[in-house]
Amino acid sequence: MQRLSFATALASFLMPATVLAVQGEQPYRHAPDQRAARVAHAAVQAQLDGHPAWQDFLARHGQRWDARWDEATGQAVRIWGEGWAVDADALTDDDAARQLGWQVLTQEAELLGISLQDLVPGVVAQVGGTTAVTFTQTYASLPVVDSRISLRFKAGRFVVGQFESFPGIALDVRPVVAADDAAKAATDALGWPSGEAGEATLVVLPLATAKSVDYRLAWQVDVTKITGPGHRTVWVDAADASLLRWDEHVRFLSGTVELDHDDRWPQNGRTTTPMIGGSLTGPAGTLNVATDGSFTGPGSAPADVAWTVDSDVVNITSTAEPIYTFNDSIGDEGGTLVGSPGNNLGNAATRRVLAQAQAHQATHIARQLSLDLNPGFGWAQQQVVVRVNLDDTQCNAWFDEQSTINFVVQGGGCNNTGRLADVIYHEYGHGFHGWNIVQGAGAFDGALSEGLADYMSATITDDNGMGRGFFTNSSAPLRDIGPDRSWPQDQDGDPHITGLIIAGALWDLRVELEAALGQAGILRADEIFLATASFASDIPDGYVEALLADDDDGNLANGTPNRCIIDETYARHGLADGDGAGAASFFAEHTPLGVGLPTQTDLAIEVTTGLSNPECADGVIESAVLSWDAGDGNLSDLDMTANGDVWTASIPGQAPGTFVRYRIDVYNDAGDVVTALPRGSITDSWFGAWVGDREILWGNDFESDDGGMTSDLLVGDPTTLGANDWMWEAPKGSGGDPDGAFSGNLAWGNDLTPEPNWNGEYQASIHNLVRTPLIEVGDEAPVLLQFRRWLTVEDGVFDQARVEVNGQVIWSNLQGDDNDHHIDSHWAFRSYDITDLITSEGLVEVTWELVSDGGLQFGGWTIDDVEIVVPSEDQVDPGDDDDATSDDDDAADDDDATGDDDDNGDDDDVVSGPPGGLSGEGAGCDCNAAGNSGGGLGLLGLLGLAVRRRR
């Protein structure tokens, strides 16, 4: 099978990376207004699952397939499933394999999204039993940057498809800017006076945001920095020479380290180990040194010999004296020759000699692991240049795409990085990633590469603490890949931090596989590490590649030998379904009741439940409980009746004008709540419904106009775009927002993503609001405020969301235990009695406010169908869901069923007033922010396990 050549491997490695800064100041990519990462939103992914081409695919090939979509292009990043048989013999010949791939693409052309005439064949590569056939996209014969189309075959079956194409390109391919001018513009844009620009190449450059893609005709230019490390690919607009993007190809490891030894790090002590490879020079010529340090060759003893730390595969170069060269004598009996710094060298010289020795040993160790995993590893076939004792910077090390790894002298509180085995393994790991990328399938991603490089170091040292001794006065690791950092919450501007997500997933997988399989488990984890390096183009891709690498029959739909361990460990890091605990994962589905329900008629509640991971865990749903009240705070629990997986119960018929709220808790056979509805928010966990008719005094669904609503910025810089981010728009599912309005298309909310460069989240350190116009209600009574709400906001300790009527707070999110975030997962219907807050002139003004601190941000408010109403019948209920706090006994009963109300918290409790209106001390949340306003409705554990996405 043909392997990647050096040129194709290097070209693959140079595929652009994501917008991720190194040390916050040295980004791997500068791409203004483009997305930092491809993040999947469950609602959008489910919507894209309805793509006609995908549904046609499922109709033809069966339902046991899954897809992950690029939400900007609408194309399938990966499809995987039960696969189908192909001609296995065709996979042994490159041309036949390409023809086989072409047949699959022809068959699935609609799913590919572009014309087959725009495809250029790539490579045929074989990695760990998987054969990949790749293609790239062109437009008008110009390369389309970042396009990757590949087909994966295993065990004689087609199993995984990758269609990272860019549809809908329409460009004039005649450049206005000349190539020479583009090269100069590229150098000028970097601000590198000593930069050398290569030949400019005309390409099509997609500019991708979270929700859309723009295309530019661009000149692609390689620029190399003459002084200091720096090598970038720059794209400038072929229309006006403006900078569109640049990618840095020098891979840095930045930080500080303290070391006490050369047994991994300086202060850990010195150790003597066999020299791994190399050669001796004696009277009769060269004697080759084996990997165990042994040597044999022509000549007779006694003899004088000399050697350096170079070898035929590792070229150690030092920019500072002395050069590590040794002379010794071999006696008649042979013996051991020890190369060691002399006692009279002095501290600085000794450090620089030891850096050369450590670089030799560690580079050979990393190279050998690479060859064990991939015997055809291209970089190992060349002599790797290792440059040590550089003095143009401190506290640094880097990999350069020109096949060099580079380390600097001691200084700035950091040890000589050439003396740190972990750092050498890490930098070699960047080369392992880059040289293993299968062109047209995998791609370089800064955070992914950092995570893979950290894992390489950890799997060699068998230690999740990477970079011990980087600082001169500490043995603590530079980074720890052990903690369970999760995608996408723990993304960071520093790619080293984001990379800990995939590094941690691989490390946890290694630990669990070793426990299950022994040494073979470590090998399997390392093989999955190789597959991720070869085929993944970002961190979430690692999950699918792990499944494929673990598969043994070309059918992912029937599981893989270690599927449950993969699911469990990757779920801990947000890369797979489930909670990562290895326990049964349950789901519950329910369609909420609405408004205008029939009076005095039982309200049927139905919920469907099931086990999300039956192939990996056993679990039994023993019972389901419906908890409800009728606006009077008297909580009632109803045991639901099962019919298979469907549970039912009925709320007794209610009088007109009754506000009903309810929730559903599902228990296993141990009596534990395993999932609950509504999911998400633990601070206001109720479905709301309304019985009977209403007379609408004022209302707006925001379809024909904005309802006369106005917004204002009370705290924040008014010149900062998005400080006042209230807008009348169509919600688009960004930042935790719903993916559509409750009714129609339009709603009001914080940052509803009007442009692709908005992220759906409110900004830090602001106070903004939206308010209704003054609404005349006259002397009607009772008067109710009703609306639909989808709110995601940080715990009230940090960020506050409030509803006010005529300046009085009627609701605010809970101030809990620092992480009691309010996360709605449905369009919650809420009703509040505001009769006592109406002005003497019969006027009402309603305000929705948001106050944020400088830390974490979520999606904020989204509101729809706002109405001021009076019940149309004489017999009415105030309908204030805050009434629940008026009965301590009820709250105690609720705690018996569900746990401690103080722990789970109902943010409605803190703003409760007596039935019939808001008055007294309990009417405002600010006076009782800790939730101590008397009894309340205790909430069941609503941290339900994630529901596996189904078609």
Side-chain angles (χ1 to χ4, degrees):
M1 178 66 63
Q2 181 180 350
R3 293 282 176 187
L4 250 67
S5 67
F6 167 72
T8 55
L10 194 57
S12 175
F13 184 46
L14 296 185
M15 296 299 285
T18 57
V19 186
L20 294 173
V22 179
Q23 293 187 329
E25 298 175 337
Q26 302 176 58
Y28 281 152
R29 171 178 292 181
H30 173 71
D33 301 326
Q34 297 176 54
R35 65 185 178 190
R38 185 196 300 125
V39 177
H41 302 88
V44 180
Q45 294 287 313
Q47 183 180 16
L48 290 171
D49 275 344
H51 193 294
W54 179 239
Q55 293 302 314
D56 176 66
F57 178 95
L58 296 176
R60 289 184 286 112
H61 298 297
Q63 297 295 312
R64 300 181 70 187
W65 288 82
D66 289 282
R68 177 172 173 252
W69 300 86
D70 186 327
E71 296 175 11
T73 64
Q75 296 301 118
V77 177
R78 296 287 191 282
I79 65 170
W80 67 95
E82 61 184 331
W84 62 75
V86 299
D87 181 5
D89 291 337
L91 299 175
T92 63
D93 176 79
D94 286 1
D95 291 337
R98 287 193 183 93
Q99 186 60 37
L100 184 59
W102 194 262
Q103 291 173 5
V104 174
L105 290 177
T106 302
Q107 178 178 316
E108 309 304 336
E110 291 299 317
L111 196 58
L112 177 62
I114 61 174
S115 170
L116 297 179
Q117 296 178 351
D118 291 335
L119 292 183
V120 174
V123 301
V124 176
Q126 199 171 56
V127 179
T130 296
T131 300
V133 180
T134 76
F135 302 81
T136 56
Q137 180 184 355
T138 64
Y139 174 79
S141 300
L142 299 179
V144 178
V145 179
D146 292 335
S147 64
R148 289 177 288 274
I149 295 93
S150 75
L151 298 312
R152 315 283 172 72
F153 303 87
K154 189 165 187 178
R157 297 172 65 83
F158 169 69
V159 189
V160 170
Q162 175 183 8
F163 305 119
E164 295 183 49
S165 60
F166 294 90
I169 302 175
L171 288 176
D172 182 352
V173 296
R174 294 169 297 181
V176 175
V177 177
D180 290 345
D181 294 335
K184 183 178 185 304
T187 304
D188 292 343
L190 296 180
W192 290 356
S194 61
E196 272 188 3
E199 184 177 352
T201 303
L202 203 59
V203 299
V204 174
L205 178 66
L207 304 180
T209 66
K211 291 295 182 180
S212 65
V213 182
D214 187 19
Y215 302 100
R216 301 290 178 85
L217 183 68
W219 287 105
Q220 178 176 304
V221 186
D222 268 8
V223 182
T224 303
K225 197 173 186 180
I226 304 304
T227 58
H231 184 178
R232 295 175 180 174
T233 298
V234 184
W235 288 268
V236 297
D237 199 314
D240 59 11
S242 61
L243 176 67
L244 297 176
R245 173 175 135 188
W246 56 252
D247 286 4
E248 176 64 71
H249 302 307
V250 173
R251 305 295 158 230
F252 291 94
L253 173 64
S254 302
T256 55
V257 74
E258 299 176 352
L259 300 174
D260 285 320
H261 52 33
D262 284 322
D263 182 4
R264 278 182 67 187
W265 68 95
Q267 288 79 15
N268 195 35
R270 301 263 286 275
T271 185
T272 302
T273 58
M275 183 175 179
I276 307 173
S279 60
L280 305 178
T281 301
T286 300
L287 304 175
N288 291 323
V289 180
T291 56
D292 63 355
S294 63
F295 59 89
T296 183
S300 58
D304 294 331
V305 296
W307 71 96
T308 71
V309 291
D310 281 346
S311 73
D312 57 344
V313 295
V314 175
N315 176 19
I316 309 294
T317 67
S318 176
T319 59
E321 297 290 342
I323 304 300
Y324 200 0
T325 302
F326 299 96
N327 299 278
D328 210 334
S329 298
I330 302 174
D332 290 338
E333 303 300 323
T336 300
L337 306 174
V338 179
S340 179
N343 294 329
N344 59 348
L345 281 180
N347 291 337
T350 298
R351 289 195 298 266
R352 294 173 186 187
V353 166
L354 290 175
Q356 297 170 58
Q358 184 80 306
H360 174 96
Q361 297 291 73
T363 304
H364 276 84
I365 290 170
R367 175 182 180 272
Q368 188 57 54
L369 172 66
S370 302
L371 283 171
D372 290 343
L373 295 176
N374 179 7
F377 179 50
W379 199 24
Q381 316 307 320
Q382 298 188 0
Q383 188 181 50
V384 176
V385 176
V386 184
R387 303 166 66 219
V388 298
N389 299 320
L390 301 173
D391 60 2
D392 55 350
T393 186
Q394 295 175 339
C395 300
N396 214 343
W398 62 92
F399 167 84
D400 188 283
E401 67 183 30
Q402 296 171 338
S403 301
T404 70
I405 48 179
N406 307 267
F407 306 93
V408 302
V409 295
Q410 179 176 314
C414 306
N415 275 302
N416 184 313
T417 53
R419 298 179 67 186
L420 309 177
D422 293 21
V423 174
I424 298 169
Y425 301 147
H426 174 98
E427 297 308 334
Y428 196 94
H430 281 305
F432 176 86
H433 177 208
W435 281 79
N436 276 301
I437 292 173
V438 174
Q439 186 182 9
F444 176 79
D445 172 87
L448 174 65
S449 191
E450 294 297 346
L452 293 173
D454 275 356
Y455 175 81
M456 169 166 269
S457 179
T459 195
I460 292 174
T461 63
D462 195 28
D463 181 4
N464 52 279
M466 197 292 297
R468 295 192 185 276
F470 192 86
F471 303 99
T472 51
N473 297 315
S474 172
S475 61
L478 180 64
R479 288 188 292 277
D480 187 352
I481 70 173
D484 292 341
R485 294 171 178 84
S486 183
W487 182 275
Q489 300 94 299
D490 292 325
Q491 287 187 90
D492 193 271
D494 184 343
H496 299 94
I497 302 304
T498 304
L500 292 171
I501 299 171
I502 187 64
L506 287 165
W507 177 257
D508 288 350
L509 178 65
R510 183 184 188 272
V511 170
E512 297 298 335
L513 287 175
E514 182 183 15
L517 305 175
Q519 190 66 28
I522 295 177
L523 176 60
R524 175 46 54 95
D526 287 349
E527 290 170 343
I528 290 172
F529 162 58
L530 168 65
T532 306
S534 300
F535 296 126
S537 54
D538 61 14
I539 287 175
D541 288 340
Y543 171 67
V544 177
E545 304 307 341
L547 294 179
L548 182 58
D550 189 54
D551 179 61
D552 60 354
D553 65 356
N555 184 349
L556 296 184
N558 65 3
T560 71
N562 301 290
R563 172 68 180 266
C564 296
I565 294 178
I566 294 172
D567 281 357
E568 175 188 341
T569 53
Y570 276 61
R572 296 176 196 169
H573 301 272
L575 302 177
D577 291 333
D579 66 353
S585 175
F586 297 93
F587 69 88
E589 297 172 348
H590 165 68
T591 301
L593 299 179
V595 176
L597 300 175
T599 62
Q600 306 300 350
T601 302
D602 288 354
L603 306 176
I605 306 296
E606 179 179 293
V607 60
T608 300
T609 63
L611 188 62
S612 298
N613 58 343
E615 69 277 13
C616 299
D618 295 323
V620 175
I621 294 178
E622 186 68 25
S623 62
V625 175
L626 170 67
S627 302
W628 69 279
D629 71 37
D632 55 6
N634 293 318
L635 182 71
S636 298
D637 291 340
L638 296 175
D639 292 329
M640 304 186 77
T641 302
N643 182 6
D645 291 335
V646 178
W647 297 78
T648 58
S650 293
I651 297 173
Q654 300 296 313
T658 301
F659 175 72
V660 176
R661 64 178 190 173
Y662 66 96
R663 67 169 181 266
I664 302 155
D665 300 293
V666 180
Y667 296 81
N668 63 10
D669 52 0
D672 299 322
V673 175
V674 293
T675 189
L677 291 175
R679 297 175 59 243
S681 175
I682 67 172
T683 67
D684 190 7
S685 55
W686 301 92
F687 294 113
W690 182 262
V691 177
D693 297 328
R694 305 163 302 152
E695 177 186 350
I696 299 175
L697 304 179
W698 180 92
N700 206 301
D701 61 4
F702 308 124
E703 292 307 303
S704 59
D705 58 58
D706 63 6
M709 307 274 276
T710 57
S711 65
D712 197 4
L713 178 67
L714 304 184
V715 175
D717 183 356
T719 65
T720 300
L721 180 64
N724 180 8
D725 59 357
W726 279 97
M727 56 188 64
W728 175 46
E729 268 279 354
K732 301 175 181 65
S734 302
D737 294 339
D739 60 1
F742 173 73
S743 64
N745 298 312
L746 301 175
W748 271 92
N750 295 111
D751 187 354
L752 299 183
T753 321
E755 301 292 340
N757 59 318
W758 291 62
N759 64 4
E761 300 173 356
Y762 53 83
Q763 292 191 2
S765 303
I766 54 88
H767 179 184
N768 59 33
L769 58 83
V770 71
R771 61 172 66 90
T772 65
L774 280 173
I775 301 167
E776 185 175 350
V777 298
D779 57 358
E780 299 280 358
V783 177
L784 308 176
L785 166 66
Q786 297 183 341
F787 60 92
R788 293 284 177 169
R789 177 199 76 201
W790 191 304
L791 171 66
T792 60
V793 67
E794 196 178 8
D795 188 300
V797 171
F798 308 110
D799 297 347
Q800 295 83 47
R802 297 193 287 262
V803 184
E804 296 184 1
V805 174
N806 289 338
Q808 297 295 312
V809 176
I810 66 169
W811 185 89
S812 180
N813 62 309
L814 176 71
Q815 294 189 19
D817 297 327
D818 294 354
N819 60 358
D820 288 337
H821 306 316
H822 181 109
I823 308 295
D824 282 340
S825 59
H826 76 293
W827 275 105
F829 173 74
R830 290 297 181 261
S831 180
Y832 303 91
D833 186 333
I834 61 173
T835 307
D836 292 348
L837 299 179
I838 299 170
T839 69
S840 58
E841 294 82 9
L843 300 176
V844 169
E845 181 185 72
V846 185
T847 303
W848 290 263
E849 297 191 31
L850 183 68
V851 182
S852 69
D853 67 0
L856 186 63
Q857 292 90 47
F858 291 101
W861 284 103
T862 312
I863 56 175
D864 202 0
D865 288 16
V866 177
E867 295 169 331
I868 305 294
V869 307
V870 294
S872 57
E873 299 288 340
D874 292 336
Q875 182 182 359
V876 298
D877 184 282
D880 183 359
D881 58 353
D882 295 327
D883 296 347
T885 61
S886 62
D887 191 336
D888 287 346
D889 292 336
D890 294 337
D893 293 341
D894 188 43
D895 286 346
D896 291 342
T898 65
D900 188 349
D901 185 53
D902 289 340
D903 291 341
N904 293 316
D906 183 348
D907 57 351
D908 287 342
D909 296 349
V910 303
V911 297
S912 303
L918 291 167
S919 62
E921 184 179 3
C925 66
D926 293 342
C927 62
N928 218 341
N932 299 321
S933 58
L937 290 169
L939 303 184
L940 299 183
L942 292 181
L943 300 178
L945 305 182
V947 179
R948 176 164 298 171
R949 179 165 56 87
R950 305 279 186 184
R951 278 176 296 277

